[in-house]
Amino acid sequence: MNAHITNTIKLAEFSSVVFFVGAGMSAESGVPTYRGAGGIWTQYRYQDFACQRAFDADPQGVLDFHEVRREAVLTCKPHAGHYALAKLQAAHPRLHVITQNIDGMLQRAGVHVDAELHGSLWRMRCAKHGIREDAATGQFSTRRCPDCDAWLRPDITWFEDAVNEDVFTKAGELIATAELFISVGTSAAVYPAANFIPLARRAGARMIEINPERTEASTLFERCYALPASEALTTLFV
Ligand code: APR
Protein backbone atom coordinates (compact mmCIF):
# COMPACT_ATOMS: atom_id res chain seq x y z
CA MET A 1 0.00 0.00 0.00
CA ASN A 2 1.67 3.28 -1.03
CA ALA A 3 -1.15 5.60 -0.04
CA HIS A 4 -0.17 8.90 1.50
CA ILE A 5 -1.64 10.82 4.41
CA THR A 6 -1.15 14.40 3.28
CA ASN A 7 -3.27 17.49 3.78
CA THR A 8 -5.83 16.15 1.36
CA ILE A 9 -6.44 12.46 1.82
CA LYS A 10 -7.37 10.63 -1.38
CA LEU A 11 -9.64 7.86 -0.18
CA ALA A 12 -9.41 6.08 -3.54
CA GLU A 13 -5.78 5.26 -2.68
CA PHE A 14 -7.05 2.97 0.09
CA SER A 15 -8.79 -0.26 -0.87
CA SER A 16 -10.89 -0.24 2.32
CA VAL A 17 -11.73 2.64 4.64
CA VAL A 18 -13.53 2.62 8.00
CA PHE A 19 -15.02 5.68 9.70
CA PHE A 20 -15.46 5.01 13.43
CA VAL A 21 -17.93 7.53 14.78
CA GLY A 22 -18.87 8.90 18.19
CA ALA A 23 -21.14 11.54 19.74
CA GLY A 24 -18.90 14.41 18.60
CA MET A 25 -20.11 13.74 15.03
CA SER A 26 -23.59 14.92 16.05
CA ALA A 27 -22.47 17.79 18.29
CA GLU A 28 -22.65 20.48 15.62
CA SER A 29 -26.20 19.34 14.82
CA GLY A 30 -27.13 20.20 18.41
CA VAL A 31 -27.19 16.66 19.84
CA PRO A 32 -25.35 16.76 23.19
CA THR A 33 -22.32 14.51 23.65
CA TYR A 34 -22.04 12.36 26.79
CA ARG A 35 -18.91 13.51 28.57
CA GLY A 36 -18.03 16.90 27.14
CA ALA A 37 -19.29 20.26 28.41
CA GLY A 38 -23.07 19.95 28.85
CA GLY A 39 -22.74 16.21 28.22
CA ILE A 40 -25.71 13.97 29.04
CA TRP A 41 -23.86 12.04 31.76
CA THR A 42 -22.76 15.30 33.37
CA GLN A 43 -26.44 16.11 33.93
CA TYR A 44 -28.02 12.73 34.48
CA ARG A 45 -26.90 9.54 36.23
CA TYR A 46 -26.91 6.56 33.90
CA GLN A 47 -27.90 4.51 36.97
CA ASP A 48 -31.28 6.29 36.87
CA PHE A 49 -31.97 6.27 33.13
CA ALA A 50 -29.68 3.99 31.10
CA CYS A 51 -29.39 0.53 32.62
CA GLN A 52 -31.69 -2.48 32.96
CA ARG A 53 -31.90 -2.03 36.76
CA ALA A 54 -33.35 1.47 36.31
CA PHE A 55 -35.78 0.17 33.67
CA ASP A 56 -36.97 -2.66 35.92
CA ALA A 57 -37.51 -0.20 38.78
CA ASP A 58 -39.17 2.59 36.75
CA PRO A 59 -39.98 1.71 33.11
CA GLN A 60 -42.11 4.82 32.57
CA GLY A 61 -39.39 7.14 33.89
CA VAL A 62 -36.72 5.54 31.70
CA LEU A 63 -39.00 5.65 28.66
CA ASP A 64 -39.82 9.31 29.36
CA PHE A 65 -36.07 10.08 29.42
CA HIS A 66 -35.54 8.42 26.06
CA GLU A 67 -38.64 10.03 24.57
CA VAL A 68 -37.23 13.44 25.45
CA ARG A 69 -33.99 12.44 23.70
CA ARG A 70 -35.92 11.27 20.61
CA GLU A 71 -37.84 14.53 20.43
CA ALA A 72 -34.67 16.56 20.89
CA VAL A 73 -32.89 14.66 18.10
CA LEU A 74 -35.81 15.31 15.75
CA THR A 75 -35.35 19.06 16.19
CA CYS A 76 -31.75 18.67 14.96
CA LYS A 77 -30.56 18.33 11.38
CA PRO A 78 -27.53 16.60 9.87
CA HIS A 79 -24.68 19.03 9.13
CA ALA A 80 -22.38 19.45 6.13
CA GLY A 81 -20.02 16.80 7.53
CA HIS A 82 -22.76 14.16 7.50
CA TYR A 83 -23.57 14.93 3.84
CA ALA A 84 -19.89 15.00 2.90
CA LEU A 85 -19.47 11.52 4.39
CA ALA A 86 -22.46 10.24 2.41
CA LYS A 87 -20.88 11.64 -0.78
CA LEU A 88 -17.47 10.12 0.00
CA GLN A 89 -19.15 6.78 0.69
CA ALA A 90 -21.06 6.87 -2.60
CA ALA A 91 -17.76 7.38 -4.43
CA HIS A 92 -15.86 4.59 -2.70
CA PRO A 93 -16.78 0.89 -3.06
CA ARG A 94 -15.46 -0.09 0.38
CA LEU A 95 -16.02 2.81 2.72
CA HIS A 96 -17.65 1.51 5.89
CA VAL A 97 -19.21 3.46 8.74
CA ILE A 98 -19.30 2.06 12.26
CA THR A 99 -21.06 4.21 14.83
CA GLN A 100 -21.49 4.30 18.58
CA ASN A 101 -24.30 6.82 18.11
CA ILE A 102 -27.94 5.89 18.61
CA ASP A 103 -29.42 9.10 17.14
CA GLY A 104 -29.74 8.03 13.49
CA MET A 105 -28.30 11.33 12.27
CA LEU A 106 -25.88 9.66 9.83
CA GLN A 107 -28.70 7.69 8.22
CA ARG A 108 -30.81 10.85 7.90
CA ALA A 109 -28.00 12.29 5.73
CA GLY A 110 -28.02 9.20 3.50
CA VAL A 111 -24.99 7.49 5.05
CA HIS A 112 -25.13 3.69 5.00
CA VAL A 113 -24.19 2.57 8.51
CA ASP A 114 -22.61 -0.88 8.60
CA ALA A 115 -22.81 -1.31 12.36
CA GLU A 116 -24.68 0.53 15.14
CA LEU A 117 -22.56 -0.66 18.06
CA HIS A 118 -24.85 0.71 20.77
CA GLY A 119 -28.20 0.24 19.08
CA SER A 120 -30.72 2.89 18.16
CA LEU A 121 -33.20 5.34 19.71
CA TRP A 122 -35.55 4.42 16.83
CA ARG A 123 -36.12 0.75 17.64
CA MET A 124 -37.79 -0.92 20.59
CA ARG A 125 -37.42 -4.43 21.85
CA CYS A 126 -39.51 -6.93 23.76
CA ALA A 127 -37.54 -9.56 25.70
CA LYS A 128 -39.80 -12.26 24.16
CA HIS A 129 -40.88 -10.90 20.79
CA GLY A 130 -37.73 -9.12 19.64
CA ILE A 131 -37.12 -5.85 17.82
CA ARG A 132 -39.64 -3.45 16.29
CA GLU A 133 -38.99 -0.20 14.38
CA ASP A 134 -40.46 2.90 16.02
CA ALA A 135 -39.19 5.92 14.19
CA ALA A 136 -42.30 7.79 13.08
CA THR A 137 -42.45 10.37 15.84
CA GLY A 138 -40.52 11.52 18.91
CA GLN A 139 -43.16 9.90 21.06
CA PHE A 140 -43.04 6.11 21.23
CA SER A 141 -45.92 4.65 19.21
CA THR A 142 -46.41 2.16 22.03
CA ARG A 143 -44.63 1.37 25.29
CA ARG A 144 -46.04 -2.14 25.57
CA CYS A 145 -45.51 -5.21 23.39
CA PRO A 146 -48.63 -5.76 21.26
CA ASP A 147 -48.10 -9.54 21.59
CA CYS A 148 -47.56 -9.96 25.33
CA ASP A 149 -48.15 -6.50 26.86
CA ALA A 150 -44.66 -6.51 28.44
CA TRP A 151 -42.81 -3.17 28.69
CA LEU A 152 -40.81 -2.42 25.55
CA ARG A 153 -37.30 -1.03 26.11
CA PRO A 154 -35.36 1.03 23.58
CA ASP A 155 -33.06 -1.18 21.49
CA ILE A 156 -30.02 0.51 22.99
CA THR A 157 -26.98 -1.08 24.64
CA TRP A 158 -27.13 0.45 28.09
CA PHE A 159 -24.44 0.44 30.75
CA GLU A 160 -23.99 -3.01 32.30
CA ASP A 161 -25.62 -4.62 29.22
CA ALA A 162 -23.86 -7.22 27.10
CA VAL A 163 -23.10 -5.87 23.64
CA ASN A 164 -24.73 -7.26 20.50
CA GLU A 165 -22.18 -9.93 19.54
CA ASP A 166 -23.28 -10.09 15.88
CA VAL A 167 -22.88 -6.35 15.43
CA PHE A 168 -19.47 -6.33 17.14
CA THR A 169 -18.28 -9.32 15.13
CA LYS A 170 -19.25 -7.60 11.87
CA ALA A 171 -17.55 -4.38 12.96
CA GLY A 172 -14.42 -6.30 13.97
CA GLU A 173 -14.23 -7.97 10.58
CA LEU A 174 -14.51 -4.67 8.72
CA ILE A 175 -11.91 -3.00 10.95
CA ALA A 176 -9.46 -5.92 10.73
CA THR A 177 -9.29 -5.44 6.93
CA ALA A 178 -9.29 -1.63 6.85
CA GLU A 179 -6.35 0.08 5.15
CA LEU A 180 -7.43 3.45 6.57
CA PHE A 181 -9.16 3.92 9.93
CA ILE A 182 -10.64 7.32 10.74
CA SER A 183 -12.00 8.01 14.23
CA VAL A 184 -14.43 10.94 14.36
CA GLY A 185 -15.79 12.52 17.55
CA THR A 186 -15.26 9.82 20.14
CA SER A 187 -13.49 10.15 23.50
CA ALA A 188 -12.42 6.49 23.08
CA ALA A 189 -13.33 6.02 26.74
CA VAL A 190 -16.06 3.40 26.51
CA TYR A 191 -15.35 -0.30 26.17
CA PRO A 192 -15.55 -2.66 24.45
CA ALA A 193 -16.13 -0.26 21.50
CA ALA A 194 -12.86 1.56 22.19
CA ASN A 195 -10.98 -1.73 21.67
CA PHE A 196 -11.57 -1.31 17.95
CA ILE A 197 -8.96 1.47 17.83
CA PRO A 198 -5.96 -0.69 18.87
CA LEU A 199 -7.43 -3.50 16.74
CA ALA A 200 -7.24 -1.28 13.64
CA ARG A 201 -3.68 -0.32 14.46
CA ARG A 202 -2.60 -3.92 15.05
CA ALA A 203 -4.19 -4.84 11.72
CA GLY A 204 -1.86 -2.33 10.05
CA ALA A 205 -4.38 0.38 9.13
CA ARG A 206 -3.26 4.00 8.65
CA MET A 207 -4.73 5.82 11.60
CA ILE A 208 -6.42 9.25 11.67
CA GLU A 209 -8.24 10.89 14.56
CA ILE A 210 -10.62 13.84 14.18
CA ASN A 211 -11.45 15.50 17.47
CA PRO A 212 -11.03 19.07 18.72
CA GLU A 213 -9.60 17.56 21.91
CA ARG A 214 -6.98 14.91 22.71
CA THR A 215 -8.45 11.57 23.65
CA GLU A 216 -7.37 8.49 25.58
CA ALA A 217 -6.39 6.92 22.25
CA SER A 218 -4.69 9.86 20.51
CA THR A 219 -1.24 8.28 20.82
CA LEU A 220 -2.40 5.39 18.64
CA PHE A 221 -3.00 7.67 15.67
CA GLU A 222 -0.56 8.70 12.96
CA ARG A 223 -2.41 12.00 12.45
CA CYS A 224 -4.70 13.83 14.88
CA TYR A 225 -6.71 16.68 13.39
CA ALA A 226 -7.96 19.00 16.14
CA LEU A 227 -10.95 19.99 14.01
CA PRO A 228 -14.72 19.80 14.34
CA ALA A 229 -16.24 16.96 12.31
CA SER A 230 -18.02 19.21 9.81
CA GLU A 231 -14.83 21.06 8.86
CA ALA A 232 -12.69 17.92 8.74
CA LEU A 233 -15.13 15.90 6.62
CA THR A 234 -15.70 18.73 4.14
CA THR A 235 -12.01 19.67 3.71
CA LEU A 236 -9.64 16.75 4.40
CA PHE A 237 -10.93 13.99 2.14
CA VAL A 238 -11.47 13.56 -1.58
N1 APR B 1 -16.39 17.33 16.11
C1 APR B 1 -15.66 16.23 16.47
N2 APR B 1 -15.54 15.81 17.75
C2 APR B 1 -16.18 16.52 18.70
C3 APR B 1 -16.95 17.67 18.40
C4 APR B 1 -17.04 18.07 17.03
N3 APR B 1 -17.75 19.13 16.66
N4 APR B 1 -17.46 18.17 19.57
C5 APR B 1 -17.01 17.34 20.57
N5 APR B 1 -16.24 16.36 20.05
C6 APR B 1 -15.57 15.27 20.76
C7 APR B 1 -15.22 15.55 22.21
O1 APR B 1 -13.96 16.20 22.32
C8 APR B 1 -15.20 14.15 22.82
O2 APR B 1 -13.90 13.59 22.78
O3 APR B 1 -16.47 14.18 20.80
C9 APR B 1 -16.13 13.34 21.90
C10 APR B 1 -17.42 12.86 22.54
O4 APR B 1 -17.09 11.96 23.56
P1 APR B 1 -18.23 11.26 24.45
O5 APR B 1 -19.19 12.27 24.90
O6 APR B 1 -17.51 10.45 25.47
O7 APR B 1 -19.00 10.34 23.39
P2 APR B 1 -18.59 8.92 22.80
O8 APR B 1 -17.12 8.73 22.74
O9 APR B 1 -19.35 8.73 21.56
O10 APR B 1 -19.21 7.94 23.94
C11 APR B 1 -19.16 6.57 23.75
O11 APR B 1 -20.49 6.22 25.72
O12 APR B 1 -22.22 6.99 26.98
C12 APR B 1 -21.84 5.99 26.13
O13 APR B 1 -23.14 4.64 24.71
C13 APR B 1 -22.68 5.94 24.87
O14 APR B 1 -22.00 5.64 22.58
C14 APR B 1 -21.70 6.31 23.77
C15 APR B 1 -20.37 5.89 24.35
Side-chain angles (χ1 to χ4, degrees), residues 22-24 28 33-35 41 100 118 185-187 190 211-213 228-229:
E28 293 155 86
T33 63
Y34 293 97
R35 291 167 192 82
W41 304 135
Q100 298 171 80
H118 297 150
T186 180
S187 58
V190 172
N211 194 318
E213 292 170 20

Side-chain angles (χ1 to χ4, degrees), residues 4-22:
H4 304 91
I5 295 188
T6 57
N7 291 338
T8 303
I9 299 152
K10 298 186 183 64
L11 296 181
E13 290 184 357
F14 301 88
S15 68
S16 59
V17 177
V18 166
F19 281 82
F20 182 68
V21 176

Side-chain angles (χ1 to χ4, degrees), residues 184-203:
V184 185
T186 180
S187 58
V190 172
Y191 291 80
N195 285 328
F196 284 133
I197 298 172
L199 171 70
R201 184 165 162 137
R202 283 196 306 277

Side-chain angles (χ1 to χ4, degrees), residues 33-205:
T33 63
Y34 293 97
R35 291 167 192 82
I40 292 170
W41 304 135
T42 66
Q43 299 175 51
Y44 301 94
R45 291 172 5 108
Y46 84 79
Q47 291 89 339
D48 300 332
F49 297 108
C51 63
Q52 185 65 40
R53 284 180 294 129
F55 186 67
D56 295 340
D58 178 16
Q60 291 281 31
V62 168
L63 289 168
D64 289 346
F65 172 84
H66 287 85
E67 210 165 65
V68 169
R69 292 197 63 191
R70 285 164 53 111
E71 284 167 341
V73 167
L74 286 183
T75 67
C76 303
K77 292 191 171 45
H79 56 68
H82 290 107
Y83 293 108
L85 183 53
K87 214 164 155 229
L88 293 166
Q89 188 177 46
H92 194 295
R94 292 184 59 206
L95 188 159
H96 302 290
V97 177
I98 294 169
T99 187
Q100 298 171 80
N101 299 348
I102 61 174
D103 57 25
M105 202 60 78
L106 288 160
Q107 293 93 328
R108 280 169 59 188
V111 174
H112 169 72
V113 171
D114 296 273
E116 286 181 311
L117 298 176
H118 297 150
S120 171
L121 268 171
W122 307 106
R123 291 189 302 268
M124 301 289 273
R125 72 176 182 241
C126 165
K128 252 203 234 134
H129 296 96
I131 308 278
R132 48 187 291 121
E133 293 293 327
D134 187 348
T137 61
Q139 287 219 324
F140 294 112
S141 60
T142 173
R143 293 182 172 207
R144 298 263 189 182
C145 176
D147 301 317
C148 67
D149 206 40
W151 286 110
L152 291 172
R153 59 162 278 183
D155 181 33
I156 295 169
T157 303
W158 283 330
F159 291 86
E160 302 161 14
D161 277 351
V163 296
N164 181 322
E165 286 303 333
D166 296 340
V167 172
F168 269 66
T169 301
K170 180 177 179 191
E173 284 160 4
L174 291 171
I175 290 169
T177 55
E179 279 194 357
L180 178 62
F181 179 89
I182 303 155
S183 174
V184 185
T186 180
S187 58
V190 172
Y191 291 80
N195 285 328
F196 284 133
I197 298 172
L199 171 70
R201 184 165 162 137
R202 283 196 306 277

